[in-house]
């Protein structure tokens, strides 16, 4: 079928809306008509180096239009959120950790199905798609069933897309991985969409001290509205300010910035036996720490996809959101899909916490 996709022609170029051909779903795949798709930092990062033509986008939400013969538990008309995919057969998948699937990179970042094919063609040639199981900068997508999360008829599909990546990643880092006990202290570095989801989750967990660290005062104000007890301006003075908030160190820290210097500050802000989650991936190839700063029982844990099983965690987060207990709606700004260029500019400029494109 002919569908409209935002195609990246070459690294660093703006997305261009084009008619592309979408193949029908294979036996283990699902055709979804999108209602909305969020823009995540990972899309913008991959757009800087992906050799096009390619379709990115990985926070889709919409309605199932068709399912392959072997797909169980999904039917046309079902409202769904799209998330990352996984193989389902490796040890991490079989033990409930699909975000650590041994084939994660090949399945989510190669642009192709495992057999090398793509469901998306431009001018008769297959192009890279299947980004994080979906490539949802398009009004319809074909996704493997393992990337599809049924969310129930009450879900607000114009809001739900980011629950499949950004919100799941931030909230899951806290709720699934760090698991702070009520009364804990936590410092969260970066108050973008992932960071504020983590902050809301920390507040929900009953953390008594939730310090948000960011360079942008507007983001710090948003962080406070979502449950941060302290806003700390990032940069050279952050370490000292954090020490004044938690003189013995924080029980937990979470880095969403992907910057090695920020991660070092996060680890050094920990109390002995404290635990730091690493979510952000930036240009840094290495992280470095003073020997003694990790010797006293501190733990550094990498986290992918919020450590979540999307089919379990995304509906839970949506229920918490509907109950007003995970109130991330306020950071979402909607744009028509055709205005993807303006939406990207607004995200890059920091004017918008989470942009969602609507179809
Ligand atoms: Zn993402
Ligand atoms: Zn696997």
């Amino acid at each position: 079928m002919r569908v409209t996709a935002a195609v990246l022609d070459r690294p660093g170029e703006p997305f261009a809306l084009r008619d592309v051909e979408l193949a029908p779903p294979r036996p283990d795949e699902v055709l979804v008509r999108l209602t909305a798709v969020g823009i995540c930092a990972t899309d913008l990062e991959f757009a800087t180096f992906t050799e096009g033509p390619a379709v990115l986008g990985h926070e889709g939400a919409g309605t199932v239009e068709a399912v392959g013969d072997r797909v169980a538990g999904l039917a046309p008309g079902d409202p769904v959120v799209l998330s990352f995919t996984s193989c389902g057969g490796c040890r991490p998948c079989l033990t409930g950790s699909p975000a650590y699937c041994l084939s994660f990179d090949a399945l989510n970042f190669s642009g192709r199905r495992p057999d090398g094919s793509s469901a998306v063609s431009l001018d008769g040639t297959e192009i890279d798609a299947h980004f994080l199981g979906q490539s949802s900068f398009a009004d319809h997508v074909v996704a493997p069933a393992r990337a599809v999360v049924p969310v129930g008829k009450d879900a607000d599909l114009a809001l739900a897309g980011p629950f499949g990546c950004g919100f799941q990643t931030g909230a899951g880092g806290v709720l699934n991985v760090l698991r702070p006990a009520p009364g804990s202290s936590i410092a969260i570095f970066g108050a973008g969409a992932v960071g504020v989801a983590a902050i809301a989750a920390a507040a929900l967990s009953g953390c008594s001290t939730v310090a948000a660290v960011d360079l942008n005062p507007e983001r710090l104000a948003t962080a406070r509205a979502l449950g941060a007890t302290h806003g700390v301006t990032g940069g050279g003075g952050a370490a000292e300010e954090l020490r004044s908030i938690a003189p013995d160190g924080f029980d937990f820290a979470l880095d969403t910035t992907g910057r090695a210097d920020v991660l070092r500050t996060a680890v050094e802000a920990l109390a002995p036996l404290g635990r730091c989650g690493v979510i952000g991936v930036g240009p840094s190839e290495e992280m470095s720490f003073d020997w003694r700063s990790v010797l006293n029982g501190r733990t550094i844990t990498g986290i992918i996809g919020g450590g979540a099983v999307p089919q379990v965690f995304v509906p839970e987060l949506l229920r918490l959101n509907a109950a007003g207990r995970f109130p991330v709606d306020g950071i979402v700004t909607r744009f028509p899909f055709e205005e993807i260029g303006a939406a990207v500019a607004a995200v890059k400029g920091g004017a918008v916490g989470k942009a969602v494109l609507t179809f």
Side-chain angles (χ1 to χ4, degrees):
M1 64 189 287
R2 301 297 288 176
V3 309
T4 302
V7 176
L8 177 75
D9 285 317
R10 271 176 289 278
E13 288 199 357
F15 299 105
L17 294 193
R18 299 200 199 289
D19 281 349
V20 297
E21 183 70 22
L22 184 64
R26 290 183 171 181
D28 60 345
E29 291 179 335
V30 179
L31 171 66
V32 177
R33 175 173 49 83
L34 289 195
T35 301
V37 57
I39 297 177
C40 175
T42 308
D43 294 311
L44 304 185
E45 199 198 322
F46 271 71
T48 66
F49 61 79
T50 297
E51 294 295 335
V55 183
L56 300 175
H58 64 282
E59 290 188 345
T63 306
V64 173
E65 289 216 323
V67 300
D69 295 342
R70 292 208 305 269
V71 174
L74 290 164
D78 286 351
V80 294
V81 165
L82 299 169
S83 193
F84 62 82
T85 191
S86 54
C87 80
C90 71
R91 185 179 174 88
C93 280
L94 290 170
T95 52
S97 298
Y100 304 97
C101 173
L102 297 179
S103 302
F104 192 91
D105 285 359
L107 292 173
N108 289 286
F109 297 125
S110 72
R112 301 281 161 160
R113 297 186 181 100
D115 69 358
S117 67
S118 171
V120 179
S121 299
L122 176 66
D123 302 329
T125 303
E126 290 187 358
I127 65 172
D128 284 353
H130 302 280
F131 185 58
L132 279 152
Q134 47 191 291
S135 282
S136 44
F137 287 162
D139 54 18
H140 291 72
V141 304
V142 162
R146 283 184 66 82
V148 181
V149 180
V151 291
K153 305 283 180 202
D154 296 336
D156 176 1
L157 294 176
L159 173 71
F163 285 73
C165 182
F167 295 159
Q168 165 168 263
T169 296
V174 173
L175 298 176
N176 296 328
V177 181
L178 298 181
R179 297 174 177 251
S184 305
S185 57
I186 186 168
I188 292 167
F189 293 75
V194 172
V196 296
I199 286 161
L204 181 64
S205 302
C207 288
S208 57
T209 302
V210 181
V213 186
D214 200 287
L215 292 167
N216 181 326
E218 286 171 31
R219 285 185 176 204
L220 289 177
T222 303
R224 281 182 179 273
L226 283 168
T229 58
H230 300 75
V232 176
T233 304
E240 195 177 332
E241 202 173 334
L242 288 165
R243 239 185 328 273
S244 74
I245 295 166
D248 296 332
F250 286 82
D251 300 314
F252 298 96
L254 188 68
D255 178 60
T256 70
T257 72
R259 289 184 44 156
D261 56 339
V262 175
L263 179 60
R264 185 176 179 127
T265 303
V267 171
E268 290 174 353
L270 289 172
L273 297 168
R275 193 169 181 208
C276 180
V278 183
I279 287 181
V281 184
S284 317
E285 292 288 322
E286 293 186 348
M287 45 179 95
S288 72
F289 310 99
D290 185 271
W291 195 273
R292 276 162 298 185
S293 78
V294 285
L295 199 61
N296 59 353
R298 289 166 172 165
T299 308
I300 301 165
T301 307
I303 304 170
I304 292 175
V309 177
Q311 285 77 4
V312 175
F313 192 56
V314 170
E316 285 176 0
L317 277 186
L318 286 168
R319 283 193 292 274
L320 286 166
N321 174 257
R325 301 179 69 195
F326 182 65
V328 287
D329 320 35
I331 71 160
V332 171
T333 304
R334 295 195 178 84
F335 296 81
F337 180 55
E338 298 74 36
E339 293 177 18
I340 185 170
V344 167
V347 171
K348 283 183 176 169
V352 163
K354 171 60 73 180
V356 171
L357 307 169
T358 54
F359 294 89

